[in-house]
Amino acid sequence: ARTKIGLLFGGCSGEHEVSINSAKAIASALAQGDNLYHYEVIPVYIAKNGIWYAGDIAHNILKTKQPLEVETNQSRWQFPPLVSEIEVWFPILHGPNGEDGTVQGLLQLMQVPYVGSGVLGSAMGIDKIAMKTAFAEAGLPQVKYMAVTRPQIWSNPCVFPKLCDEIEATLDYPCFVKPANLGSSVGIAKVRNRQELETALDNAASYDRRIIVEAGVVAREVECAVLGNDDPKASVVGEISFNSDFYDYETKYTEGLAQLHIPAQIPDAIAAKIQAMSLQAFAAVDAAGLARVDFFYIEATGEVLINEINTLPGFTATSMYPQMWAATNVPFPELVNRLIQFAIERH
Ligand code: ADP
Ligand code: MG
Ligand code: MG
């Protein structure tokens, strides 16, 4: 009998539409490899209000790529009946409520194998402050940063100017202000002066209780894909280039604004260093299954700084993660097969 794969997609995050695209790519890969792998895909769609749908509704969303119109304020949490038949879960939800350990906790409780990192790895991987603490502990070089919390920004008007003074004393302009627990560059600002810093902190606080401020670097952006559990492997290194001020939401999701280069045109020794650092980062946050690790490469000095790890990276047909594996001799359908096998192995 074919193993029933619960493809969990959509979700309550800003990356809902990206998730639909990732799921569609995975579903077609599984259909393509059908005679090879013997999986049956059961799409399970989480609408923007948190309600789960399987059956015709979920199939239809994969086909049309149109999110379901729902009342977002009417959240009831419901499982469709098909859910109990699922033998392996493949959550492909990006950002909060999916990549952050919340869904992983639920799947862990269900005692069914699932693709990707567990609760700790997912939670560490989404929180830029926790992530950087783990990277520092592992001795991985990274930009200088400061952790800030919402109460320092909002609660007490006397604290805020002191906080900004402290940031200015610690980090030079330009610096980057980011909500700690998002992705896709949502809520991120590059700031060049005090006024922009104040506005950016206030804005970031509207997204998250935890905020990070980082020293800005001028660097090439390179990435590496990791696959496996206890003995993970690193892919060839890829590079992203663009003309925008930084790799913001618009640049990420507007066709033609960013170019992918696989493999990256960098010295072999630098690529080897990036691969080794990727595996260290994977272990540092206790990731499993898959992760994409992103770096800044400062060509002038040969320095490589780790930027972040993404435990459920974009997985559309044109995304970096599957493309870097394709360039490492793991084609898309085989990549999906291996991820499912790693989920079973880890259970
Ligand atoms: P996300 O998890 O949303 O992708 P990132 O931390 O990767 O957030 O930041 C998004 C983009 O912002 C990066 O790809 C890069 O272009 C730019 N960026 C972020 N931090 C820095 C930094 N410290 N110096 C220079 N550019 C940065
Ligand atoms: Mg990220
Ligand atoms: Mg990023």
Side-chain angles (χ1 to χ4, degrees), residues 56-258:
D56 288 346
I57 294 178
H59 275 286
N60 207 40
I61 285 154
L62 272 189
K63 205 181 297 163
T64 62
K65 298 207 275 180
Q66 280 307 307
L68 198 66
E69 298 275 350
V70 287
E71 294 280 335
T72 39
N73 56 356
Q74 236 180 38
S75 169
R76 293 166 299 129
W77 199 52
Q78 285 181 352
F79 288 147
L82 271 172
V83 160
S84 58
E85 292 175 26
I86 286 164
E87 292 164 283
V88 179
W89 283 97
F90 198 137
I92 192 70
L93 303 155
H94 310 300
N97 301 308
E99 191 173 346
D100 59 357
T102 50
V103 163
Q104 288 73 17
L106 178 69
L107 302 178
Q108 188 79 42
L109 269 175
M110 287 182 181
Q111 301 186 43
V112 177
Y114 55 93
V115 168
S117 295
V119 172
L120 179 66
S122 304
M124 293 275 284
I126 198 114
D127 186 284
K128 293 187 196 301
I129 299 167
M131 176 200 304
K132 283 191 188 298
T133 308
F135 291 164
E137 187 69 24
L140 290 163
Q142 50 193 342
V143 297
K144 210 165 171 188
Y145 68 93
M146 264 180 69
V148 178
T149 60
R150 182 186 284 157
Q152 291 177 284
I153 299 169
W154 279 359
S155 308
N156 186 337
C158 303
V159 173
F160 189 55
K162 283 193 199 126
L163 172 73
C164 293
D165 289 346
E166 201 189 332
I167 292 171
E168 287 183 332
T170 313
L171 310 168
D172 292 327
Y173 291 118
C175 52
F176 283 78
V177 178
K178 315 177 180 179
N181 288 273
L182 283 176
S184 289
S185 303
V186 175
I188 296 183
K190 180 177 179 178
V191 301
R192 292 163 192 82
N193 54 51
R194 177 72 169 233
Q195 203 203 325
E196 287 178 8
L197 174 66
E198 289 173 0
T199 309
L201 285 169
D202 183 59
N203 180 53
S206 71
Y207 287 98
D208 200 346
R209 227 174 41 77
R210 286 157 67 80
I211 292 121
I212 188 166
V213 188
E214 297 177 12
V217 288
V218 178
R220 289 166 68 179
E221 296 200 31
V222 290
E223 309 187 337
C224 180
V226 179
L227 173 66
N229 290 332
D230 294 333
D231 183 25
K233 301 286 184 266
S235 73
V236 298
V237 175
E239 176 170 10
I240 291 160
S241 66
F242 44 83
N243 284 319
S244 340
D245 193 22
F246 69 96
Y247 197 28
D248 58 8
Y249 187 91
E250 196 199 348
T251 312
K252 282 181 179 172
Y253 297 115
T254 311
E255 216 167 305
L257 290 192

Side-chain angles (χ1 to χ4, degrees), residues 257-336:
L257 290 192
Q259 287 78 45
L260 314 188
H261 313 272
I262 306 170
Q265 297 303 305
I266 53 174
D268 288 350
I270 298 290
K273 181 156 127 185
I274 288 166
Q275 288 169 325
M277 285 172 74
S278 297
L279 296 178
Q280 277 180 284
F282 192 84
V285 302
D286 193 34
L290 75 164
R292 199 192 71 224
V293 190
D294 301 349
F295 298 87
F296 297 123
Y297 168 45
I298 306 166
E299 210 173 354
T301 60
E303 245 180 313
V304 177
L305 305 175
I306 189 162
N307 174 29
E308 63 159 344
I309 190 166
N310 294 289
T311 54
L312 279 176
F315 216 113
T316 71
T318 57
S319 295
M320 266 306 228
Y321 185 86
Q323 292 216 56
M324 286 191 284
W325 278 116
T328 317
N329 291 318
V330 185
F332 200 118
E334 175 56 17
L335 177 62
V336 171

